[in-house]
Amino acid sequence: MMTTPSAEKDIAERPQQALQDEMSDVRRLIDELDEELVTLLAKRQRQIERAARIKPALGIPANVPERVEEVLGHVLGAARREGLSVEVAMTLWRALIDWSIHYEERLMGARALKGDSQGSADGDRSS
């Protein structure tokens, strides 16, 4: 969210202590949000672990490009709906998906079907 010139003027006119208090509040809230994000990412990781147990029995590789596109499309829609930068969302989720594929492959070990996973550098990813 960008500030308007009048909003910047309003901030500049506030007492230093009020600004310091507000900055402390911002930092506290960011710390709380980070805790929530870690909790959610841990839950997501547990689902990746479940997938790594199930996929070999179904003959599914860790990297399923169609699923990657589905995940990214879902995240793109959610980012737009929530006002999150699309650039931030896509950068984070592409990294998360890449990590998830490699983690699944490690967990699946010899049972892992490679499918298109060698091509993850060219954009194929899965979760």
Side-chain angles (χ1 to χ4, degrees):
M1 173 185 240
M2 302 207 43
T3 58
T4 63
S6 65
E8 289 176 12
K9 183 179 181 223
D10 290 342
I11 289 173
E13 292 175 355
R14 292 175 59 193
Q16 283 296 106
Q17 186 58 51
L19 291 172
Q20 288 174 353
D21 291 346
E22 186 170 357
M23 192 68 230
S24 293
D25 188 51
V26 166
R27 289 178 174 158
R28 182 185 54 77
L29 289 171
I30 287 174
D31 289 346
E32 289 176 12
L33 291 167
D34 286 345
E35 289 283 332
E36 290 179 44
L37 287 169
V38 168
T39 298
L40 291 172
L41 288 169
K43 288 178 182 180
R44 190 181 195 284
Q45 178 181 311
R46 287 191 287 278
Q47 297 313 305
I48 297 302
E49 292 162 356
R50 285 182 66 199
R53 288 192 302 271
I54 297 166
K55 284 181 174 183
L58 295 173
I60 301 172
N63 185 10
V64 180
E66 300 82 20
R67 175 65 180 145
V68 170
E69 293 308 313
E70 182 182 331
V71 170
L72 290 174
H74 180 80
V75 168
L76 179 62
R80 287 179 174 153
R81 185 177 60 250
E82 295 296 328
L84 175 64
S85 159
V86 168
E87 179 183 5
V88 167
M90 293 297 98
T91 298
L92 290 174
W93 260 264
R94 286 184 193 280
L96 183 58
I97 289 169
D98 279 344
W99 179 87
S100 297
I101 290 168
H102 297 306
Y103 185 54
E104 274 187 29
E105 287 175 341
R106 284 194 313 270
L107 292 174
M108 292 164 71
R111 302 173 303 145
L113 298 172
K114 292 299 179 184
D116 292 329
S117 64
Q118 272 75 334
S120 67
D122 68 4
D124 288 342
R125 298 166 176 92
S126 183
S127 62

